[in-house]
């Protein structure tokens, strides 16, 4: 670790009330109880007026991304929330390696780990367990090709083990990891690619000690792709839900919901054809057996991507769906449903070439339980923004975790030869919580 290459800054802004003060606009009819099955919503350009409570930056030489994050384990003699960031950085030889950083809610470093090894590797997912933190990543070794690995760290960031998995004749790209039903092991969602480039969605079971008792691929005539895996609550059907995409005969990609049983067998599955390139990346299981799912679609013109969120019934049939478009490429980076029924969507707006007004930003939409937009918040804190995690803070505030980039001004002679500077980023913003669903009778009304 190079102490000169790493330092931390913490900026605190004036505290804003956490309830009902988010900069927002309310759509007409947002409190109506009727459900509109389908809407295409054009978002206006962001205004960047959303109040910020605080933000913290984690600076590391060569940082490439912050890919995931979670709340840290509770520390001894402390009741304050802390955050563990997972990302990747490049060394002086441009080789990629993972890092873990444990920060307090004020942005102070508790510990951090910068991995180094013989072969470069990249982290892709973080899972907190009772021992500490589990990291899923991808690795490439001469003679073995591309595979994935599972690494266990203790609560103080010490790596206990790292187990690689390779499949002869295939390149593997791990996407997501979650616990098995009994929490005595893990299921890993992987894309397996053969020598001809065909993609086959694959699931691995991995035990706590790093042994894999089985792996199964779910291949069809065309590409099948896994993106995210979710362990279902015990009160619902057994197994996991995996999101992704599936290639159709005409070359289009459809969104894909896939039920993975505990023994690795395929349960039910559902395809959703939307535009020419659709994919589902996020899922929330609901108490009624349905799901909230989110991803993106691309129009037949192929000019830009639109964010896509959908509520489906227990039989996977859509109840309502929303498409968000505008002067940006929109990518869903986080999805959350609070106890009051409000749905929060974190989106990343990417700049589109040849559009001067198109600037990278983060956008946070708050929806009613019926999919109506209640609030539209937008954030811009750097030249380029990348968000990959979305948590609810101890006081109900939004905690957005990702990376931002500073590009030195081109009109300053001394800055012309300076490369863009990346840094990890934690943003705290007020959330709207004092909401009562007008379509759900209260105790007094019953």
């Amino acid at each position: 670790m190079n102490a000169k290459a790493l330092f931390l800054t913490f900026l605190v802004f004036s505290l804003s009330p956490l309830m009902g003060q988010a900069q927002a606009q309310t759509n007409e009819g947002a409190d109506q109880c009727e459900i509109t099955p389908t809407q295409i919503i054009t978002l206006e350009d962001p205004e960047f007026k959303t109040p910020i409570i605080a933000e913290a930056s984690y600076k590391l030489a060569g940082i490439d991304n912050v890919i995931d994050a979670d709340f840290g384990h509770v520390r001894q003699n402390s009741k304050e929330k802390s955050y563990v960031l997972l990302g990747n950085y490049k060394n002086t030889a441009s080789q990629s390696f993972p890092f873990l950083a444990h920060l307090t809610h004020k942005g102070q470093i508790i510990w951090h780990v910068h991995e180094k090894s013989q072969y470069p590797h990249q982290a892709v997912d973080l899972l907190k367990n009772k021992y500490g933190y589990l990291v899923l990543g991808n690795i490439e070794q001469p003679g073995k090709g591309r595979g994935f690995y599972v690494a266990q760290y203790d609560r103080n960031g010490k790596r206990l083990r790292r187990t690689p998995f390779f499949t002869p004749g295939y390149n593997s790209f791990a996407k997501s990891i979650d616990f098995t039903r009994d929490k005595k092991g893990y299921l890993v969602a992987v894309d397996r690619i053969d020598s001809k480039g065909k993609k086959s969605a694959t699931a691995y079971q991995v035990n706590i000690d790093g042994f894999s008792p089985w792996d199964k691929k779910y291949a069809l005539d065309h590409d099948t792709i896994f993106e995210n895996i979710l362990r279902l609550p015990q009160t619902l059907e057994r197994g996991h839900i995996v999101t992704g995409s599936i290639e159709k005969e005409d070359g289009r990609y459809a969104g894909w919901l896939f039920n993975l049983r505990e023994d690795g067998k395929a349960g039910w599955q559902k395809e959703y054809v939307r535009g020419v390139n659709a994919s589902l990346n996020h899922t929330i299981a609901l108490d009624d057996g349905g799901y909230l799912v989110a991803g993106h679609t691309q129009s037949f013109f192929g000019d830009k991507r639109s964010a896509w969120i959908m509520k489906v019934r227990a039989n996977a049939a859509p109840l309502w769906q929303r498409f968000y478009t505008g002067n940006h490429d929109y990518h869903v980076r986080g999805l959350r449903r609070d106890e009051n029924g409000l749905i929060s969507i974190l989106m990343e707006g990417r700049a589109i070439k040849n559009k001067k007004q198109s600037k990278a930003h983060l956008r946070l939409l708050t929806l009613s339980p019926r999919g109506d937009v209640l609030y539209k918040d937008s954030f811009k804190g750097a030249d380029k923004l990348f968000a990959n995690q979305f948590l609810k803070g101890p006081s109900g505030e939004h905690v957005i975790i990702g990376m931002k980039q500073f590009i030195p001004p081109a009109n300053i002679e001394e800055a012309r030869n300076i490369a863009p500077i990346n840094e990890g980023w934690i943003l705290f913003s007020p959330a709207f919580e004092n909401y009562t669903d007008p379509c759900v009778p209260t105790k007094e009304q019953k």
Side-chain angles (χ1 to χ4, degrees), residues 387-436:
N388 279 297
Q389 188 52 275
F390 181 36
L391 305 173
K392 181 178 181 179
S395 299
E397 70 273 20
H398 297 302
V399 183
I400 299 171
I401 301 174
M403 188 187 76
K404 63 179 179 178
Q405 183 182 82
F406 170 73
I407 300 177
N411 58 350
I412 300 179
E413 184 69 28
E414 294 79 3
R416 289 181 180 177
N417 296 323
I418 300 177
I421 300 171
N422 297 336
E423 56 188 36
W425 191 33
I426 308 178
L427 177 72
F428 301 86
S429 178
F432 181 71
E433 287 207 315
N434 58 342
Y435 171 83
T436 300

Side-chain angles (χ1 to χ4, degrees), residues 321-350:
Q321 54 186 328
R322 303 290 183 263
F323 303 90
Y324 301 98
T325 186
N327 290 322
H328 302 80
D329 273 332
Y330 282 112
H331 300 253
V332 176
R333 292 305 184 191
L335 180 66
R336 197 178 75 214
R337 181 181 182 274
D338 291 329
E339 294 179 358
N340 56 17
L342 290 182
I343 301 165
S344 299
I345 313 170
L346 176 64
M347 299 192 303
E348 177 184 301
R350 295 183 185 176

Side-chain angles (χ1 to χ4, degrees), residues 3 19 25 30 45 75 94 114 156 163 173 192 211-212 221-222 240 275 279 320 333 342 345 368 380 406 421 431:
M19 295 186 179
Q25 297 179 2
D45 289 336
R75 294 172 292 138
S94 295
H114 306 149
N156 296 313
T163 307
F173 295 83
R192 202 185 260 180
F211 174 73
S212 177
D221 292 337
H222 303 282
H240 293 67
S279 179
W320 55 258
R333 292 305 184 191
L342 290 182
I345 313 170
S368 76
K380 180 178 181 295
F406 170 73
I421 300 171

Side-chain angles (χ1 to χ4, degrees), residues 140-208:
E140 184 173 5
Q141 291 187 14
K144 292 186 177 181
R146 295 190 65 98
F148 71 94
Y149 71 89
V150 177
Q152 177 68 59
Y153 295 79
D154 68 13
R155 295 188 178 196
N156 296 313
K158 179 182 178 180
R159 176 158 55 85
L160 303 177
R161 60 182 170 274
R162 181 174 63 213
T163 307
F165 299 88
F166 293 94
T167 303
Y170 291 89
N171 286 324
S172 297
F173 295 83
K175 297 290 191 68
S176 178
I177 189 169
D178 204 349
F179 293 103
T180 54
R181 298 287 292 183
D182 58 10
K183 300 196 75 170
K184 294 181 179 180
Y186 312 96
L187 286 181
V188 183
V190 176
D191 284 343
R192 202 185 260 180
I193 305 177
D194 65 18
S195 58
K196 296 181 180 180
K198 184 179 182 300
K199 298 179 180 179
S200 299
T202 307
Y204 280 76
Q205 182 178 335
V206 178
N207 292 339
I208 291 179

Side-chain angles (χ1 to χ4, degrees), residues 18 26 34 52 94 113 178 181 184 211 231-232 234 269 275 293 317 348 351 363 420 424 435 443-444:
L18 292 180
T26 303
E34 295 82 5
I52 296 175
S94 295
V113 177
D178 204 349
R181 298 287 292 183
K184 294 181 179 180
F211 174 73
R231 180 172 58 100
L232 293 173
Q234 296 288 349
Q269 52 185 299
V293 294
E348 177 184 301
R363 174 153 277 171
Y435 171 83
K443 292 182 180 180
E444 293 76 11

